Amino acid sequence: MNLVLLGCPGSGKGTQAEILCKHFHMKKVSLGDILRQEADKGSNLGNTVSEYMGKGVLVPDEIIKEVIKNNLGEESFLLDGFPRNLNQADMLKDILSSKGLSLDRVIYLNVSEDVAVSRLTGRRICKNCGALYHKVTMPPEQDNKCDKCGSDLVMREDDKEETVKRRWQVYMNQTHALIEYYSKAGLLSEFDGNKDKESVFKAIIDNLGHGEDKES
Ligand code: AP5
């Protein structure tokens, strides 16, 4: 099964990607995570990527195309954060067809702007293992320490309020059009992403079919 997770910044894509990939044994291809890893390397490419991400705007499509080509193989996958504009959607179609693959479903997490902003400004991430927390809705057991590895939790650079506003505008101007695009293609399933993590997850797996769960 090949899936795309679509939704505004803070809609819960990363959170659901993590548990869906475990549940269905899919490869998680999270563009934001891959780009942040590149930025951390401090390479020329990493510095370029970091500049765009810091401003809350999209990294140019030519860079994204290479990243995607290098991360899609034979195994079933879940794309988190790609595509983000119509050009990238066409790009994905071409890459998949050149590999003899196709998309099975696009999972759209619909979340209000207020919820998204409060999730992003309250988000904390483990700087060691990348585990996700929220200071109100998903707090760690020990203040500011990761439950999984005990490392410090940090705020993402682009989660400051001004940058969050810019990311929201970019989403509305460029990414939102994909809802209609995938709806017309008969691939879109919409979910109420304002609900808690477990309810959203359950709604998605009910929709996709539990039969895919190789663990049960
Ligand atoms: P990326 O890292 O993908 O950021 P994003 O799309 O803005 O999404 P976020 O990661 O901020 O939010 P999310 O929807 O994953 O929510 P999360 O689960 O973390 O991309 C960053 C940047 O990279 C972009 O701005 C761009 O510059 C660049 N980029 C990436 N892809 C690109 C592309 N294709 N083309 C060009 N550039 C690209 O949850 C958020 C918080 O809410 C967490 O604290 C979580 O604990 C909490 N939470 C989650 N779900 C729930 C719930 N149901 N109830 C309560 N709390 C919840």
Side-chain angles (χ1 to χ4, degrees):
M1 181 164 55
N2 298 324
L3 304 174
V4 162
L5 262 180
L6 179 66
C8 66
S11 55
K13 300 184 296 299
T15 302
Q16 295 300 327
E18 192 64 34
I19 46 181
L20 283 169
C21 285
K22 275 202 189 111
H23 186 85
F24 289 115
H25 300 273
M26 286 181 289
K27 177 179 179 180
K28 180 169 76 114
V29 183
S30 166
L31 260 288
D33 290 349
I34 295 169
L35 295 171
R36 272 184 290 280
Q37 280 162 14
E38 194 59 52
D40 286 346
K41 287 184 195 162
S43 59
N44 283 345
L45 175 64
N47 291 339
T48 306
V49 162
S50 178
E51 239 178 81
Y52 287 99
M53 292 176 85
K55 288 182 193 153
V57 299
L58 296 186
V59 172
D61 288 352
E62 313 83 69
I63 297 178
I64 298 298
K65 187 175 186 177
E66 289 312 305
V67 174
I68 285 295
K69 275 208 275 188
N70 295 335
N71 278 280
L72 289 187
E74 296 306 309
E75 56 198 316
S76 75
F77 60 81
L78 181 146
L79 287 166
D80 161 19
F82 175 86
R84 288 207 195 220
N85 58 34
L86 292 168
N87 186 42
Q88 290 185 7
D90 289 337
M91 200 189 273
L92 176 62
K93 211 171 168 186
D94 291 346
I95 295 172
L96 292 181
S97 92
S98 73
K99 292 175 183 278
L101 301 170
S102 59
L103 267 188
D104 294 300
R105 197 119 293 273
V106 174
I107 296 165
Y108 165 46
L109 302 177
N110 191 355
V111 163
S112 69
E113 183 175 3
D114 287 354
V115 168
V117 170
S118 85
R119 283 187 185 171
L120 292 176
T121 49
R123 171 166 57 188
R124 296 295 179 268
I125 296 181
C126 173
K127 65 179 184 185
N128 178 45
C129 72
L132 276 176
Y133 299 89
H134 187 279
K135 61 179 189 175
V136 178
T137 59
M138 292 181 213
E141 281 167 20
Q142 208 192 326
D143 201 24
N144 229 33
K145 295 279 177 205
C146 179
D147 294 346
K148 293 181 184 165
C149 71
S151 299
D152 289 343
L153 304 183
V154 293
M155 188 173 187
R156 237 168 73 173
E157 207 36 52
D158 59 351
D159 280 347
K160 291 179 185 139
E161 205 167 333
E162 273 316 296
T163 319
V164 165
K165 281 185 192 153
R166 168 70 71 81
R167 286 163 62 200
W168 179 266
Q169 280 164 3
V170 169
Y171 170 76
M172 291 310 289
N173 293 339
Q174 300 191 47
T175 312
H176 196 257
L178 293 176
I179 297 165
E180 194 184 346
Y181 176 96
Y182 282 121
S183 178
K184 279 189 178 155
L187 287 172
L188 196 86
S189 292
E190 180 172 339
F191 299 91
D192 181 358
N194 298 299
K195 293 186 175 162
D196 64 81
K197 173 181 164 179
E198 285 72 26
S199 304
V200 177
F201 175 64
K202 186 174 181 308
I204 296 172
I205 58 170
D206 282 351
N207 179 277
L208 293 174
H210 293 263
E212 296 279 346
D213 180 6
K214 294 177 191 147
E215 280 177 340
S216 61

